[in-house]
Amino acid sequence: RYPSDWSLLLMQRLDSLGGCRLLIVGDVMLDRYWFGEVSRISPEAPVPVVKVERLEERLGGAANVARNAAALGGIITLLSVVGDDEAGRSLGQLLSDAGIQAGLQIDRQIDTTVKLRVIGRQQQLLRIDFETTPSHEVLRAKLEDFEERLQDCDVVVLSDYGKGGLTHIAEMIRLARAADKPVLVDPKGDEYAKYAGATIITPNRSELRQVVGRWGSEEELATKAQTLRRRLGLDALLVTRSEEGMTLYRDDEIIQEAAQAREVFDVSGAGDTVIATLAMLIAAGASWDEAVRVANLAAGIVVGKLGTAVVTRHELESVL
């Protein structure tokens, strides 16, 4: 399906990513990892005992989307809500270290969302989540901040993790489209009406199944996906399908990308990498065909890494 100079064309697209401006809004979280050795089972219960030897903190949620886009050379602005706590301050510092301009609204009534993962022998043994829903007043202030920053971006990304930070997402989509900005949404939950009018949504296989029900064939999947796309008034719908790759549905075409054959180590954060890469390519003027191709390559790279991670331009150039 691809012309002989396809890789060269995509390399040129990667060269044009520097300076692309993304405005990313969504639920941020701090991913904490406790790495240790497992050498025995607890005498108190049939569970492994982990002797913690190393701690690590990484950006999660919409912050991981921002980190992935920044790693590709983008000029990134991130809007979100954090608590007035140590985890929120750590998030702010990590964002600053990554060169991301962060507009973090402080909500003193909540705790910053934290996902704590305990890792032993390179396997995740346990995850503990800490989270609370932001207050309405802080979310209204974030919407006003969004409107002010809208003109200074090329593409808008809305990363919904279902933590309550995108209460005003329908209004954000309306404002962005009125400003003629493409809007990419990573959805959550089973109610997609709030995403109506976006340029594209990027559910994974199980997320789409929650909304349209099961399918028994590619034809049935296409019918359900296209019906949903038309009902929501989307330009496109991208379904990420793990070992089956990803499929883009548009009014005039269906683009199927096969998964890249490699060992899958960890799928956490892969959706963040996909939407960040897709947004960067669209901001650079790439076609949907080009953008999906590169996003699929990026997904194949990031699942080979432990935890929430990023894909660099150098890594993409290597696989191209």
Side-chain angles (χ1 to χ4, degrees):
R1 183 165 73 85
Y2 301 111
S4 58
D5 61 348
W6 184 255
S7 290
L8 178 60
L9 175 61
L10 294 184
M11 291 282 276
Q12 292 171 344
R13 289 298 188 197
L14 293 182
D15 288 340
S16 66
L17 294 182
C20 290
R21 303 169 301 168
L22 301 191
L23 176 58
I24 300 173
V25 190
D27 301 306
V28 297
M29 54 200 70
L30 184 65
D31 284 342
R32 283 190 164 138
Y33 295 86
W34 290 2
F35 295 93
E37 286 297 319
V38 178
S39 57
R40 61 191 179 96
I41 300 298
S42 171
E44 303 166 2
V47 295
V49 175
V50 182
K51 182 182 178 184
V52 176
E53 298 177 339
R54 178 167 61 91
L55 311 180
E56 189 173 324
E57 293 184 338
R58 300 182 190 177
L59 296 169
N64 188 45
V65 178
R67 178 175 169 233
N68 270 270
L72 294 176
I75 299 172
I76 312 303
T77 300
L78 172 69
L79 303 181
S80 193
V81 179
V82 295
D84 185 16
D85 52 21
E86 179 268 335
R89 288 184 284 275
S90 291
L91 260 170
Q93 186 60 55
L94 288 171
L95 289 166
S96 177
D97 293 344
I100 297 164
Q101 182 181 351
L104 298 179
Q105 300 286 341
I106 305 296
D107 188 340
R108 291 178 171 79
Q109 306 304 312
I110 70 167
D111 295 323
T112 300
T113 298
V114 175
K115 291 184 178 180
L116 170 61
R117 296 173 175 90
V118 180
I119 311 292
R121 294 179 180 172
Q122 297 297 300
Q123 291 185 334
Q124 185 177 153
L125 303 177
L126 176 69
R127 194 181 94 183
I128 306 170
D129 291 2
F130 306 85
E131 59 188 57
T132 33
T133 303
S135 63
H136 179 75
E137 293 75 14
V138 170
L139 294 176
R140 173 57 62 177
K142 188 176 74 170
L143 177 61
E144 294 169 359
D145 196 7
F146 173 81
E147 192 167 5
E148 290 175 3
R149 297 176 188 254
L150 195 52
Q151 296 302 326
D152 295 326
C153 74
D154 301 312
V155 170
V156 172
V157 178
L158 303 175
S159 181
D160 191 355
Y161 267 79
K163 309 303 182 187
L166 282 173
T167 297
H168 302 297
I169 190 169
E171 179 68 3
M172 288 179 176
I173 292 171
R174 187 191 68 79
L175 289 169
R177 296 312 299 268
D180 200 27
K181 308 293 183 181
V183 181
L184 287 72
V185 179
D186 192 355
K188 201 73 172 180
D190 56 7
E191 179 46 66
Y192 278 17
K194 58 189 174 184
Y195 307 131
T199 306
I200 184 173
I201 61 174
T202 61
N204 63 35
R205 190 170 45 189
S206 62
E207 289 168 341
L208 183 67
R209 192 178 292 123
Q210 287 182 49
V211 178
V212 304
R214 295 185 176 275
W215 52 86
S217 66
E218 286 295 318
E219 292 74 18
E220 187 179 3
L221 169 58
T223 298
K224 288 177 177 287
Q226 293 285 36
T227 299
L228 176 64
R229 184 188 62 77
R230 286 189 287 268
R231 178 162 60 85
L232 297 178
L234 310 172
D235 293 356
L237 188 153
L238 178 69
V239 185
T240 56
R241 306 172 62 182
S242 299
E243 74 281 357
E244 296 174 357
M246 56 183 64
T247 309
L248 181 80
Y249 298 93
R250 297 185 67 213
D251 197 29
D252 57 349
E253 66 179 342
I254 297 175
I255 299 172
Q256 176 67 46
E257 285 290 341
Q260 300 301 301
R262 64 177 63 238
E263 182 179 0
V264 176
F265 195 71
D266 191 340
V267 298
S268 58
D272 300 336
T273 299
V274 168
I275 198 167
T277 307
L278 200 67
M280 286 292 290
L281 268 292
I282 294 301
S287 67
W288 284 112
D289 207 1
E290 295 163 353
V292 171
R293 175 66 169 163
V294 177
N296 189 55
L297 292 173
I301 295 169
V302 82
V303 296
K305 302 181 179 184
L306 176 64
T308 49
V310 300
V311 174
T312 66
R313 280 175 56 183
H314 175 71
E315 288 173 316
L316 283 172
E317 289 166 355
S318 296
V319 297
L320 284 172

